[in-house]
C-alpha cells in the first residue's frame, strides 16, 4: 500500500512541476514581444523536450528524457537564436 501511495505522490509531484513550469513560461511571455533569442530558446526547449521524451520512452524513462532533452534543446536554441539576434542587430546598425 505504501508503494502505491508513493507512486500517487510522484504523479502529483510531476503534474504540479509541469504546471508550475508552464505558469512560469506563460508569465515570462507577458509584456514586450519575444526577441529572436527568446524565440529560439523556447522553440529549442520544446523540440528538445519532445524528442527527449520519445527517446526516453524507448528506454523506459520518458520524463528523464524530456528533462534532459529540454535542457539541451533550450541551450542549443538559445545559441542559434543569439547568433540570429546578433546578425539582425548588425544589419540594423549597418544601414
Amino acid at each position: 500500500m505504501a508503494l502505491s501511495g508513493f507512486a500517487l505522490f510522484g504523479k502529483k509531484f510531476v503534474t504540479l512541476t509541469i504546471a508550475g513550469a508552464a505558469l512560469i513560461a506563460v508569465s515570462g511571455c507577458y509584456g514586450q514581444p519575444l526577441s529572436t533569442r527568446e524565440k529560439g530558446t523556447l522553440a529549442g526547449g520544446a523540440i528538445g523536450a519532445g524528442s527527449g521524451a520519445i527517446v526516453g520512452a524507448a528506454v523506459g524513462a520518458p520524463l528523464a528524457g524530456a528533462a534532459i532533452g529540454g535542457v539541451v534543446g533550450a541551450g542549443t536554441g538559445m545559441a542559434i537564436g543569439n547568433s540570429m539576434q546578433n546578425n539582425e542587430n548588425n544589419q540594423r546598425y549597418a544601414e
Side-chain angles (χ1 to χ4, degrees):
M1 186 71 174
L3 182 61
S4 64
F6 179 74
L8 181 61
F9 172 75
K11 288 181 182 182
K12 286 183 180 181
F13 178 75
V14 169
T15 302
L16 289 174
T17 302
I18 292 171
L23 181 63
I24 290 169
V26 169
S27 67
C29 296
Y30 181 75
Q32 300 280 337
L34 294 176
S35 69
T36 303
R37 183 180 304 115
E38 293 165 338
K39 290 176 187 176
T41 303
L42 184 62
I47 292 168
S51 301
I54 292 170
V55 171
V59 297
L63 292 177
I68 294 167
V71 169
V72 171
T76 304
M78 191 273 305
I80 293 170
N82 187 46
S83 176
M84 292 173 65
Q85 181 81 39
N86 290 340
N87 288 340
E88 288 175 7
N89 291 341
N90 290 338
Q91 288 177 355
R92 186 176 311 133
Y93 295 127
E95 294 175 355

